[in-house]
């Protein structure tokens, strides 16, 4: 549960920092974004992405749609926007990602924030597989390609710039 809470909190803080008003919906999407993983075989989820076979990765990539299906099946009342954020949290602005690979301009800005928070949380999580980095270093790493590449990466270049602009202030507060 730590991952969902951390992603939710970080996405909300980023939204507040750049002036996005749907903070409650972003927070809710962050809490629910990975519940579909519960429907996947544990042996697939326990592996790092680089260790999964192509078939296992394809199964893993169904979890955003499974999350939405679980919310509907349990009759959890959330907005369509929250459902879209959950469905899009692994999509990438440059057209990669999953499950649908829509053009970057079709991704909600809130979905992109959720994706940033998800990636930062993965980098800052304590794990036996890798060295941990602090949140500001992780954010700069995650956003750097998007900020300098006209084709974008994880998020649009303009969103990356907006987030990177608030990091010096966060650095001052933390440091």
């Amino acid at each position: 549960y730590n991952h969902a809470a951390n992603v939710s909190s970080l996405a909300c803080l980023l939204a507040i920092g750049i002036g996005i008003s749907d903070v409650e919906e972003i927070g809710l999407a962050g809490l629910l974004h990975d519940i579909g993983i519960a429907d996947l075989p544990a042996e697939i989820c326990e592996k790092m992405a680089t260790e999964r076979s192509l078939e296992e990765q394809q199964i893993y990539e169904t979890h955003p749609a499974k999350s939405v299906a679980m919310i509907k099946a349990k009759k959890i009342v959330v907005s369509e926007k929250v459902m879209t954020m959950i469905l899009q949290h692994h999509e990438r602005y440059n057209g990669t990602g999953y499950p649908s690979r829509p053009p970057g301009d079709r991704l909600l800005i809130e979905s992109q924030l959720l994706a940033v928070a998800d990636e930062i949380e993965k980098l800052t999580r304590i794990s036996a597989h890798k060295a941990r980095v602090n949140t500001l270093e992780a954010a700069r790493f995650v956003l750097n390609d998007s900020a300098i590449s006209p084709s974008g990466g994880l998020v649009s270049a303009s969103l990356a710039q907006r987030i990177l602009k608030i990091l010096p202030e966060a650095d001052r507060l933390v440091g």
Side-chain angles (χ1 to χ4, degrees):
Y1 302 111
N2 286 341
H3 172 69
N6 292 341
V7 168
S8 178
S9 298
L10 186 53
C12 286
L13 290 171
L14 291 172
I16 291 167
I18 65 169
I20 301 231
S21 62
D22 291 337
V23 177
E24 294 85 3
E25 288 195 323
I26 292 169
L28 186 55
L31 290 173
L32 299 172
H33 77 284
D34 276 344
I35 63 170
I37 289 176
D39 263 1
L40 301 179
E43 59 273 8
I44 291 175
C45 297
E46 291 168 358
K47 291 180 181 180
M48 294 181 0
T50 55
E51 297 172 339
R52 292 185 198 119
S53 70
L54 179 59
E55 181 183 341
E56 289 171 331
Q57 185 61 29
Q58 289 171 335
I59 292 168
Y60 183 80
E61 290 179 6
T62 65
H63 83 267
K66 286 184 180 290
S67 295
V68 169
M70 286 177 78
I71 290 167
K72 289 178 180 178
K74 299 289 183 187
K75 296 184 171 83
I76 299 171
V77 179
V78 298
S79 70
E80 282 301 315
K81 192 170 191 175
V82 168
M83 297 282 229
T84 301
M85 284 185 248
I86 292 167
L87 196 57
Q88 292 182 344
H89 82 274
H90 279 293
E91 300 290 2
R92 301 300 180 243
Y93 195 82
N94 66 4
T96 62
Y98 55 87
S100 302
R101 295 172 179 77
D105 61 355
R106 303 247 335 260
L107 295 177
L108 296 177
I109 192 169
E110 295 88 353
S111 301
Q112 294 176 64
L113 280 177
L114 202 58
V116 169
D118 194 38
E119 292 299 320
I120 291 170
E121 200 284 332
K122 288 175 192 168
L123 288 171
T124 58
R125 182 184 317 148
I126 296 172
S127 168
H129 302 289
K130 60 164 184 63
R132 183 175 182 258
V133 297
N134 74 43
T135 305
L136 292 170
E137 290 170 346
R140 288 187 179 108
F141 176 80
V142 164
L143 294 166
N144 193 41
D145 285 342
S146 295
I148 61 175
S149 170
S151 64
L154 177 66
V155 299
S156 71
S158 63
L159 179 58
Q161 289 293 346
R162 288 173 68 188
I163 296 170
L164 288 168
K165 188 175 178 181
I166 66 171
L167 292 182
E169 180 63 17
D171 205 14
R172 186 186 64 75
L173 293 172
V174 173

